[in-house]
Amino acid sequence: MPDTQHPDTQHPDGRPARPGHPAHRRPDPAARRRTRLLGLAVLAAAVLGLGAWLVTALVGDPATGGGAADPAAAPSAVPVETVALPPLPAVARMPDEQLRVTISDLEALVREDPRAVGPGAGEVLDSLRRVELLSGGDQRSAAVEAHDAVAAAVEEGVVAEPVARRVQEVLAAVVRPQRLIDLVWTVDVDPPAVGPAGPDLVDDLLALDHDVPADRTADRAAALLADVRAAAGRGELSPVFGDAAVPTLEQLADPAPYRALQDLRATAEADPDAVGPAADEVLASLRAIAELPVHPQGEEVAALLELVRRDGQVTAEFREAAVPVLVPLYR
């Protein structure tokens, strides 16, 4: 008699199935498709799970902001705690002295703790040493490039900002001109080094220094000053060069020194005896100064100052009146 409670324990032909084994059935196509789909779903889930695990391991958990360390990025990171260079000593007053001290201080800091400066320390030192070896316009031009390179290194995070600040201050002092001719030489060495506007400034600066007569100096300097400020505003001039050029051009654009010269000349011509024994030489020099362009004018001013300060050449009253007028014209 068929087992009505456990129908699956018998074969379709009525033979009893072996204990523990289900009876043989005809395959159900729908069931096979469901089984196949279920297997594919399980496999897909496993693949996705493995992919998610790999992403978390390599990139990090976005929820925590974590991630695997990038070995290539590690050397370029400036440490959180940085050490600044010591203050410049009071005895280091001249730019070349300050430069020498800065190189020495930076070398010592790198030996003690290279990470305090950052991975860009070597390039900074190389640029400072190069500036130290040069002179004149070559030195100022190299200082402009070094200053801009340090600023870029800070932005890239490869030089500590406190160290860079001291280096840039010293380089700015090197760039700063004493006379207009210093600006001319700085640009003339390598015009693009001061910025895209550099090549256009060479001829204008040179003309102002050597060609423009004294009575037109203020007007031409004012026009050139406007050009420099406009170029700096457009980002076409190195900031350190712009900072050096503007005060010099502002001084030249001021008409007051030339007016004071004319007044001194008129006073001396009105009463030569009040000038002193060297009245003729003084008057000739004053007339030349009133006509010469900036550079030769400065040379004439230096010679006249030497004469005026020499004992027995002019009266004390004329000396007191002349020196404050002449000094601003050495530019």
Side-chain angles (χ1 to χ4, degrees):
M1 177 180 294
D3 187 349
T4 58
Q5 293 182 348
H6 303 285
D8 290 341
T9 60
Q10 289 184 332
H11 287 284
D13 60 358
R15 290 183 292 109
R18 286 181 295 175
H21 289 269
H24 178 72
R25 295 187 182 90
R26 185 182 301 275
D28 185 353
R32 293 182 63 183
R33 283 195 299 271
R34 286 194 299 271
T35 302
R36 187 180 300 112
L37 291 175
L38 179 60
L40 291 175
V42 172
L43 178 60
V47 171
L48 290 175
L50 178 61
W53 179 84
L54 288 174
V55 169
T56 302
L58 295 176
V59 178
D61 187 354
T64 61
D70 183 359
S76 65
V78 174
V80 175
E81 295 184 2
T82 56
V83 179
L85 294 174
L88 287 169
V91 294
R93 298 179 180 179
M94 301 302 293
D96 58 338
E97 296 171 338
Q98 296 176 353
L99 178 61
R100 193 174 306 115
V101 171
T102 299
I103 293 173
S104 177
D105 288 345
L106 185 53
E107 288 173 339
L109 182 58
V110 170
R111 285 194 301 268
E112 179 181 346
D113 183 6
R115 285 181 54 80
V117 182
E123 293 184 10
V124 173
L125 274 172
D126 288 343
S127 66
L128 291 176
R129 292 174 184 135
R130 178 171 179 266
V131 172
E132 185 185 26
L133 292 175
L134 299 172
S135 62
D138 292 323
Q139 185 183 55
R140 287 185 171 88
S141 178
V144 170
E145 292 185 276
H147 185 283
D148 292 348
V150 172
V154 172
E155 292 182 1
E156 294 170 5
V158 297
V159 173
E161 196 276 336
V163 173
R165 189 186 312 119
R166 156 77 175 278
V167 170
Q168 289 180 300
E169 289 174 358
V170 171
L171 289 171
V174 173
V175 176
R176 194 173 300 122
Q178 295 181 354
R179 300 182 64 189
L180 177 60
I181 189 62
D182 297 326
L183 282 181
V184 175
W185 286 338
T186 301
V187 180
D188 188 57
V189 168
D190 185 6
V194 304
D200 294 333
L201 290 177
V202 176
D203 291 340
D204 291 339
L205 286 170
L206 185 61
L208 179 62
D209 197 50
H210 284 75
D211 299 330
V212 178
D215 60 347
R216 294 170 52 198
T217 293
D219 291 340
R220 288 288 294 273
L224 187 52
L225 174 61
D227 291 342
V228 167
R229 283 175 167 160
R234 295 191 300 268
E236 296 178 0
L237 275 182
S238 165
V240 70
F241 179 80
D243 291 343
V246 165
T248 300
L249 293 174
E250 284 178 335
Q251 182 186 28
L252 291 165
D254 183 2
Y258 185 75
R259 288 199 296 262
L261 171 68
Q262 293 290 64
D263 292 342
L264 179 66
R265 172 187 169 185
T267 300
E269 288 178 335
D271 187 4
D273 292 338
V275 175
D280 291 343
E281 190 174 352
V282 168
L283 284 171
S285 182
L286 288 174
R287 294 181 184 117
I289 292 171
E291 297 177 358
L292 291 170
V294 173
H295 185 71
Q297 181 189 65
E299 300 303 305
E300 187 67 30
V301 164
L304 182 55
L305 279 170
E306 193 277 329
L307 174 65
V308 167
R309 287 167 172 160
R310 197 186 311 158
D311 291 339
Q313 300 299 311
V314 299
T315 64
E317 292 78 8
F318 181 79
R319 181 183 298 112
E320 291 178 2
V323 170
V325 172
L326 295 174
V327 169
L329 293 170
Y330 184 77
R331 51 199 184 172

